[in-house]
Amino acid sequence: MCDRLSKALDLSRGEMLALDDARGTTLRVSRGTVWITQEKELRDVVLGTGDTWMVERNGLTLVEAHAATALDIVGRGAEPARMHVTGRTYVPGPLGRMAAR
């Protein structure tokens, strides 16, 4: 029996994935590009095809697809109760904003 959860997602450009309290969860990009930001962290992360990264802290972690993306999630962040996908599109401008599709 495997004690680790995993989930494969296809995200469209502009779709966002919200992970709650997912410290230790691994994100692997097999196609595309994602931007990642973590709650209370000033540094953002950008992953491209072939990159792997581990969520460093609990709290909210946001992952936004900058192109059509295939993303593997391994660990407790793959639990349905901790993961929410939302369709959002970034609207460029002086302040930038998120707008519902």
Side-chain angles (χ1 to χ4, degrees), residues 3 5 9 11-12 21 25-27 32 38-39 41 51 53 62 64 70 74 78 86 88 91 94 97-98 101:
D3 62 345
L5 296 168
L9 292 176
L11 299 173
S12 298
D21 294 330
T25 298
T26 299
L27 305 177
Q38 297 178 98
E39 185 175 350
E41 175 63 56
D51 290 339
W53 179 80
L62 297 176
E64 181 183 8
V74 179
T86 59
R88 300 282 178 180
V91 178
R97 63 182 173 86
M98 299 302 291
R101 266 201 259 173

Side-chain angles (χ1 to χ4, degrees), residues 44-96:
D44 290 344
V45 176
V46 175
L47 302 178
T49 301
D51 290 339
T52 300
W53 179 80
M54 185 179 292
V55 177
E56 299 167 340
R57 61 179 69 232
N58 280 326
L60 180 62
T61 299
L62 297 176
V63 180
E64 181 183 8
H66 281 223
T69 300
L71 181 68
D72 295 318
I73 304 164
V74 179
R76 68 185 198 165
E79 294 176 36
R82 295 184 188 273
M83 181 178 60
H84 314 281
V85 177
T86 59
R88 300 282 178 180
T89 303
Y90 178 73
V91 178
L95 299 176

Side-chain angles (χ1 to χ4, degrees), residues 13-33:
R13 181 177 185 267
E15 276 190 310
M16 289 185 70
L17 169 67
L19 301 172
D20 294 318
D21 294 330
R23 182 179 181 189
T25 298
T26 299
L27 305 177
R28 287 187 295 233
V29 178
S30 53
R31 174 180 37 85
T33 304

